[in-house]
Amino acid sequence: MKPFALTTVLRHRKSLEEQAIYSLVKAREAELEAQRQVQEEEAILSSLLETFSREQSLGIEVVKLAQFAQRIDLIAEQVAASKLLLQVKKTEVNRAQDLLISKSKDRKIMETLQQKQDDSWQQYLNQKETATLDEIAVIFHIDKNKE
């Protein structure tokens, strides 16, 4: 009896692997976007600190000083929040990579199993063919000896 065909299972495993690749790509895109946001906010903070320092050296009103300090604190909080988000995105990328590795291994295992199964089936067919040919040879040999 012919063994179970693993083509459907392999197709499903490849589909799962492709989904994992897609997830990894999306996670990396999100990570890059978060990284870009952190860099932009750090640049804004740096520019704001330079402006604050320059204004302070020229002499600044107390009200403007308080506004600058408040704005700096707000941007610093945004930078911290963005960095936290970036860490979350990096974790998601790592999870997506692990998932992809797992799905790739599963597919490889199934491909190996299918190859071994196909080889085993071919060996079985070859043995059957050899047995049939031997049987035919024996029958012809018996017929020749009777004559």
Side-chain angles (χ1 to χ4, degrees):
M1 183 169 117
K2 187 169 173 138
F4 177 73
L6 295 173
T7 12
T8 307
V9 175
L10 267 174
R11 221 174 315 139
H12 178 68
R13 297 291 174 142
K14 285 179 185 177
S15 170
L16 291 176
E17 183 179 14
E18 288 169 4
Q19 289 173 2
I21 290 170
Y22 179 75
S23 295
L24 178 60
V25 168
K26 285 295 183 187
R28 283 196 176 148
E29 288 174 355
E31 178 189 22
L32 289 175
E33 179 61 29
Q35 180 69 39
R36 185 194 58 74
Q37 184 177 355
V38 166
Q39 289 171 346
E40 284 179 6
E41 289 176 356
E42 285 178 337
I44 290 170
L45 181 61
S46 174
S47 171
L48 194 58
L49 286 171
E50 287 174 14
T51 305
F52 178 72
S53 179
R54 188 176 53 246
E55 289 287 329
Q56 197 174 21
S57 67
L58 296 174
I60 189 171
E61 297 173 10
V62 175
V63 174
K64 280 191 174 183
L65 180 69
Q67 288 175 342
F68 262 111
Q70 194 176 28
R71 179 78 174 140
I72 289 171
D73 289 342
L74 179 66
I75 297 296
E77 287 175 12
Q78 287 178 346
V79 167
S82 294
K83 284 182 178 181
L84 185 61
L85 180 65
L86 179 60
Q87 282 304 114
V88 168
K89 297 300 178 184
K90 285 182 179 186
T91 302
E92 288 175 5
V93 167
N94 289 337
R95 280 192 204 128
Q97 285 174 336
D98 292 344
L99 180 65
L100 177 57
I101 289 169
S102 171
K103 297 302 176 185
S104 293
K105 284 181 180 179
D106 288 349
R107 182 189 50 82
K108 282 284 193 193
I109 288 169
M110 292 307 292
E111 284 177 350
T112 304
L113 180 62
Q114 183 182 25
Q115 185 61 43
K116 285 181 179 181
Q117 187 179 18
D118 290 346
D119 291 347
S120 176
W121 179 247
Q122 190 59 46
Q123 184 181 6
Y124 171 77
L125 291 177
N126 289 342
Q127 287 174 348
K128 282 292 197 185
E129 181 182 17
T130 302
T132 304
L133 291 175
D134 287 346
E135 196 174 313
I136 291 171
V138 168
I139 291 172
F140 278 123
H141 181 68
I142 292 173
D143 285 344
K144 278 188 177 181
N145 284 342
K146 284 184 180 178
E147 293 175 5

